[in-house]
Amino acid sequence: MGADFLQLNVDDAPAGGRADWLAGRLRDAIADGRLPLGSRLPATRVLAAELQVSRGVVTEAYQRLTEDGHVAGRGRNGTIIVAVPVLTPSGGVGGVGGVGADGGLVGAAGAGGGGGLVESAGLFAEAPGADVFDELRAAPARIDLTPGLPDLAAFPRAAWLRAERAVLSDLSPAAFGYSDPRGTPALREAVARWLARSRGIRADPADVIIVNGVAQALGLLAQVLRHEGFGEVAVEEPGSLGTRQHLQNWGLGTPPIPVDQGGILVDALAASGAPAVLLTPAHEFPTGVVLDGERRRELMRWAADGGGLIIEDDYDAEHRYDRPPVPALRSMLAERVCYAASVSKLLAPALRVGWMLPPPQYAEALVAAKRSADLGNSVLPQLVLARLMETGELERQLRFLRGRHRRRRDTMIAAIGAHLPQATVHGAAAGVHLTITFEAGFAGGNAGATGLADTDLAAAAIARGLKVQPLSWHCQRPYPPGLVLGYAANTPTDITDGITLLASLVRDLT
Amino acid sequence: MGADFLQLNVDDAPAGGRADWLAGRLRDAIADGRLPLGSRLPATRVLAAELQVSRGVVTEAYQRLTEDGHVAGRGRNGTIIVAVPVLTPSGGVGGVGGVGADGGLVGAAGAGGGGGLVESAGLFAEAPGADVFDELRAAPARIDLTPGLPDLAAFPRAAWLRAERAVLSDLSPAAFGYSDPRGTPALREAVARWLARSRGIRADPADVIIVNGVAQALGLLAQVLRHEGFGEVAVEEPGSLGTRQHLQNWGLGTPPIPVDQGGILVDALAASGAPAVLLTPAHEFPTGVVLDGERRRELMRWAADGGGLIIEDDYDAEHRYDRPPVPALRSMLAERVCYAASVSKLLAPALRVGWMLPPPQYAEALVAAKRSADLGNSVLPQLVLARLMETGELERQLRFLRGRHRRRRDTMIAAIGAHLPQATVHGAAAGVHLTITFEAGFAGGNAGATGLADTDLAAAAIARGLKVQPLSWHCQRPYPPGLVLGYAANTPTDITDGITLLASLVRDLT
């Protein structure tokens, strides 16, 4: 008659209304946090047996919750709590810090990412195990610790609107027509000044090409390089899965070059024979390593003397906490460095605005490729962004984000120290994510060891409403198991809850 | 010692300064209009022989003008006048009425256009004579009657800003993250409803893909079709130069299929063996012909029974004046029609927002191509546009534009009747442009006749500050000489002045 689960006692139920009663009890438990988001309801068979009611009663109660939108059937994964009844007519209190009215499905449709293009991780059908990626990406999550997002709640809506009003009142009618495929002169000038003061790059505005994010920059460059006979672009190992898949999608091979504590191994790069390399020198994705001075000099020799092409994905260089700024490679050798960056980690990925500074020899072909792609970026967001840059709003936003992100990073590191002491933290001095690896004892990943793989840990986490990225996604070769964890887009409560949950899963699974 | 060309006499030159002298004489001739913009300098060999000077003298003089930016060397096409020395330190008056402080460079960098993609006319190096197009496009103009623009001064700035404010106040933080590469659900739903009420198309929002204009739609489709083994897409003849070059740029051949008063000749299409055809059925570019009922039925049989693919560029269907609306081909045979349209002629090309409705079999590949291109359109303009569609603002704007454009069209037709009675007007019942052809007596174009070509008329016009498109640009085969004239973006005064000037040029040249 009674169940351990929620201490339910069917004797409390009115005659003929057992399904209603059970649905009500479950709703209460979701509302007050006893059944947290992401947790799983017992199988209908099991709960019916415990309560000694017919299975139809339990099925019907679950069905009511499904119709309410509080739970979702997930096939073999069972029935999972997907929304707290915060705003339902039945009232109730979420009790879950920071979960919004939309059920906390932050970024469910397309979030994730990091490392310039890791936003697209798992989106490419060609990838081995793409199905697993897709499942993980599409699954609802109460807490999303995948990397690649800044604090989206901090988007400066009022400043954006003010700037847009100013832009619309100043604009000449001709500006609404077709324009330069390289972008509007105002933004190209603002970007050139931004790069000079924040990244040490001297650029002529005429050389700046405005693009729809780093994704488009790399796609355009890939088209041009293929046309020039390039068959491959070397990538960092470990290195962003999304970027690698993106290059492969555009027909380029991606030989992996190992990264150690000093950054990419230039000797190995030279030995690979690759004509070009894609780098994240300011904060390597996912390890967070900074390319050191000696490696920079080696790399410059490889490019200047050996004719190699460097593609610099400067994806989160502005976000640094405990270290001095690192100048961009572009500032050292403009002739052989194709620089790309975006506002995805400064403002919002949804803006789809980025810029590239190509080496002179590829500039004309890249402008032609941009024109063939879409005739140029949308003009209004360009002009608004230019204004935010020129009025100092963007710098204010960056300072604000830096403080907030640093506190969230500190929260995550503290939580890892307290709950996951067996994990080693990497690359936390900058950026919007950090990486942890597990010591021996928690084996797995794609290292071929016998223990649990990090992909299994990520899958177990998603079943509990927590989304994280396995480090092995970003490795083409065996590497210790680990996770890549974004902190910038999450509240301290979610960060602590997420790490605590992760710790319990690690205990369960090892 | 002397040349017929500009009546130059080398005896006037100071000793030892012949190159300087020649450069000065040429500069004067450009400034006072004797050497109009777009015209060609004699070959160095020829002029040197005429002047009886060494070829080095002429080469050096041309080099000075090139460094000044007044001429450009164009390989086999010779050396062409590309800029009047209006603003050079040497002074001089362009003689081009109304050239402003910025040299009158209205839209110089990228304006022009019409016919979906004619905006890009002349931008592609592969095109025969592309250099001449580039010169004409880049030249400054006091009056720009090239086709393809709506009235840009009518852009609804206040409504846009109101909608943006509403969007920014409603938006969840998650919407600033990465999103569905197909576009935001709100816009896809608004577009589906818009297409249902304005174009007779029943579409599921899930099937709508938001793109950066028709240019991107065709680029993505070209990539997918190439992957599927398509080598060519037939095009209308006459038909948009820009669209044809765009497809060629993406690796597709463009066999021309003649258009008569009923639209494209479907028999000729079938005989060509082309697996696909790109059409502008509501208002053929540039002729303005509407695809009639019998041709529609033949075309549907070609597609349904013969397996042909129809690409429908619905570029200006909303703009009609004296005729009933024409349903979209997509509404007749969704399985074999890939539909594409944009807001470029409804609001502004600068927004770079359009949509496509692919046949089901290509949908998945097109979404993947959109993702690889740029991960999806910028979100804020999508949401603002969705709101303008849902609140009825876009329909209000269209009604307003229709009245204004109709008056401008009437002004242009009246001016042509009064000043260019020898011209025949085509396709003026709809759209944002009309086309004129000249009767016998003004021969030329690419018809191979002996008279003046329409490209020469356009070049003469540009030298006087008037920009028009030669009809022959849009023809792959011989066709009567003519001009394609946009009226929607110009004031009645400019329209009348432009046609009057054109009439005087025709008189001078015939």
Side-chain angles (χ1 to χ4, degrees), chain B residues 362-450:
Chain B
Y362 301 122
E364 190 177 329
L366 280 165
V367 173
K370 173 63 177 165
R371 188 189 285 124
S372 281
D374 53 25
L375 305 182
N377 266 44
S378 185
V379 167
L380 287 179
Q382 290 186 68
L383 291 170
V384 173
L385 180 59
R387 209 175 159 89
L388 293 179
M389 285 179 157
E390 298 293 61
T391 56
E393 286 283 357
L394 195 60
E395 258 136 355
R396 262 191 292 285
Q397 174 72 7
L398 176 56
R399 281 194 300 273
F400 174 79
L401 280 183
R402 202 178 272 166
R404 178 171 280 192
H405 289 173
R406 179 206 294 265
R407 287 188 296 277
R408 292 177 172 192
R409 177 203 64 162
D410 292 346
T411 300
M412 182 172 275
I413 291 175
I416 292 169
H419 305 289
L420 272 176
Q422 69 273 51
T424 307
V425 176
H426 307 266
V432 293
H433 77 274
L434 55 77
T435 295
I436 57 175
T437 51
F438 293 97
E439 303 293 342
F442 185 82
N446 57 2
T450 51

Side-chain angles (χ1 to χ4, degrees), chain A residues 296-385:
Chain A
R296 284 174 174 251
R297 286 185 288 276
E298 290 174 24
L299 197 61
M300 290 302 123
R301 280 194 295 274
W302 173 81
D305 304 339
L309 175 70
I310 297 168
I311 306 164
E312 180 170 30
D313 179 359
D314 204 32
Y315 73 103
D316 69 356
E318 298 88 352
H319 301 277
R320 59 187 172 74
Y321 312 112
D322 314 315
R323 61 163 220 218
V326 182
L329 295 179
R330 169 77 188 194
S331 66
M332 304 170 69
L333 190 63
E335 290 70 23
R336 300 303 303 155
V337 176
C338 184
Y339 177 91
S342 78
V343 296
S344 293
K345 275 102 199 153
L346 273 171
L347 286 170
L351 294 178
R352 310 304 312 128
V353 180
W355 42 84
M356 62 194 305
L357 277 175
Q361 72 188 108
Y362 301 121
E364 190 178 329
L366 280 165
V367 173
K370 173 62 176 167
R371 188 189 287 126
S372 281
D374 52 26
L375 305 183
N377 265 42
S378 185
V379 166
L380 287 179
Q382 291 186 66
L383 292 171
V384 173
L385 180 60

Side-chain angles (χ1 to χ4, degrees), chain A residues 106-107 110-112 116-117 119-120 123-124 148-149 152-153 155 157 160-161 164-165 168 171-179 212 215-216 223 246 249-250 344-345 348-352 371-381, chain B residues 106 109-112 116-117 119-120 123-124 148-149 152-153 155 157 160-161 164-165 168-169 171-178 212 215-216 223 246 249-250 344-345 348-352 371-381:
Chain A
V106 177
L117 262 190
E119 53 262 32
S120 49
L123 283 168
F124 299 94
L149 292 177
L152 298 176
F155 184 86
R157 300 178 192 218
W160 185 273
L161 192 64
E164 178 124 7
R165 183 184 302 113
L168 281 170
L171 209 54
S172 81
F176 289 107
Y178 294 98
S179 59
N212 287 304
Q216 184 175 56
Q223 292 172 60
H246 190 57
N249 250 27
W250 283 107
S344 293
K345 275 102 199 153
L351 294 178
R352 310 304 312 128
R371 188 189 287 126
S372 281
D374 52 26
L375 305 183
N377 265 42
S378 185
V379 166
L380 287 179
Chain B
V106 178
L117 262 190
E119 53 261 33
S120 47
L123 284 167
F124 300 93
L149 292 177
L152 298 175
F155 184 85
R157 300 179 191 217
W160 184 274
L161 192 64
E164 178 123 8
R165 182 184 302 114
L168 281 169
S169 72
L171 210 54
S172 80
F176 290 107
Y178 294 99
N212 287 306
Q216 184 174 54
Q223 292 172 60
H246 190 56
N249 248 26
W250 283 107
S344 293
K345 274 102 199 150
L351 295 177
R352 308 305 311 132
R371 188 189 285 124
S372 281
D374 53 25
L375 305 182
N377 266 44
S378 185
V379 167
L380 287 179

Side-chain angles (χ1 to χ4, degrees), chain A residues 132-421:
Chain A
V132 178
F133 302 149
D134 279 347
E135 300 278 334
L136 286 177
R137 290 188 75 262
R142 179 173 68 91
I143 301 174
D144 187 348
L145 297 182
T146 50
L149 292 177
D151 181 15
L152 298 176
F155 184 86
R157 300 178 192 218
W160 185 273
L161 192 64
R162 269 198 309 277
E164 178 124 7
R165 183 184 302 113
V167 163
L168 281 170
S169 71
D170 288 351
L171 209 54
S172 81
F176 289 107
Y178 294 98
S179 59
D180 192 322
R182 291 174 298 176
T184 60
L187 181 57
R188 286 154 60 215
E189 285 160 20
V191 164
R193 282 191 284 263
W194 173 268
L195 291 174
R197 56 182 192 264
S198 74
R199 303 297 297 122
I201 296 172
R202 293 171 65 93
D204 184 332
D207 298 333
V208 175
I209 305 174
I210 304 299
V211 290
N212 287 304
V214 172
Q216 184 175 56
L218 296 182
L220 298 177
L221 184 61
Q223 292 172 60
V224 169
L225 293 182
R226 288 261 297 168
H227 190 77
E228 297 270 328
F230 286 60
E232 57 184 27
V233 169
V235 296
E236 294 160 319
E237 168 68 18
S240 160
L241 168 68
T243 304
R244 183 199 335 149
Q245 291 176 324
H246 190 57
L247 293 174
Q248 289 168 359
N249 250 27
W250 283 107
L252 291 166
T254 57
I257 311 295
V259 168
D260 71 8
Q261 291 307 312
I264 196 162
L265 300 177
V266 182
D267 287 348
L269 171 61
S272 77
V277 63
L278 176 73
L279 295 173
T280 51
H283 186 236
E284 202 270 335
F285 186 93
T287 66
V289 163
V290 178
L291 189 68
D292 74 18
E294 178 52 29
R295 292 285 165 77
R296 284 174 174 251
R297 286 185 288 276
E298 290 174 24
L299 197 61
M300 290 302 123
R301 280 194 295 274
W302 173 81
D305 304 339
L309 175 70
I310 297 168
I311 306 164
E312 180 170 30
D313 179 359
D314 204 32
Y315 73 103
D316 69 356
E318 298 88 352
H319 301 277
R320 59 187 172 74
Y321 312 112
D322 314 315
R323 61 163 220 218
V326 182
L329 295 179
R330 169 77 188 194
S331 66
M332 304 170 69
L333 190 63
E335 290 70 23
R336 300 303 303 155
V337 176
C338 184
Y339 177 91
S342 78
V343 296
S344 293
K345 275 102 199 153
L346 273 171
L347 286 170
L351 294 178
R352 310 304 312 128
V353 180
W355 42 84
M356 62 194 305
L357 277 175
Q361 72 188 108
Y362 301 121
E364 190 178 329
L366 280 165
V367 173
K370 173 62 176 167
R371 188 189 287 126
S372 281
D374 52 26
L375 305 183
N377 265 42
S378 185
V379 166
L380 287 179
Q382 291 186 66
L383 292 171
V384 173
L385 180 60
R387 206 173 162 92
L388 293 178
M389 284 178 157
E390 297 295 61
T391 56
E393 285 284 356
L394 194 61
E395 256 135 356
R396 265 194 290 286
Q397 173 71 5
L398 176 56
R399 284 194 298 274
F400 174 81
L401 280 182
R402 202 178 270 167
R404 177 172 279 193
H405 288 173
R406 179 206 293 264
R407 288 189 295 278
R408 292 177 172 191
R409 177 203 64 161
D410 292 346
T411 301
M412 183 173 273
I413 291 175
I416 292 168
H419 304 289
L420 272 175

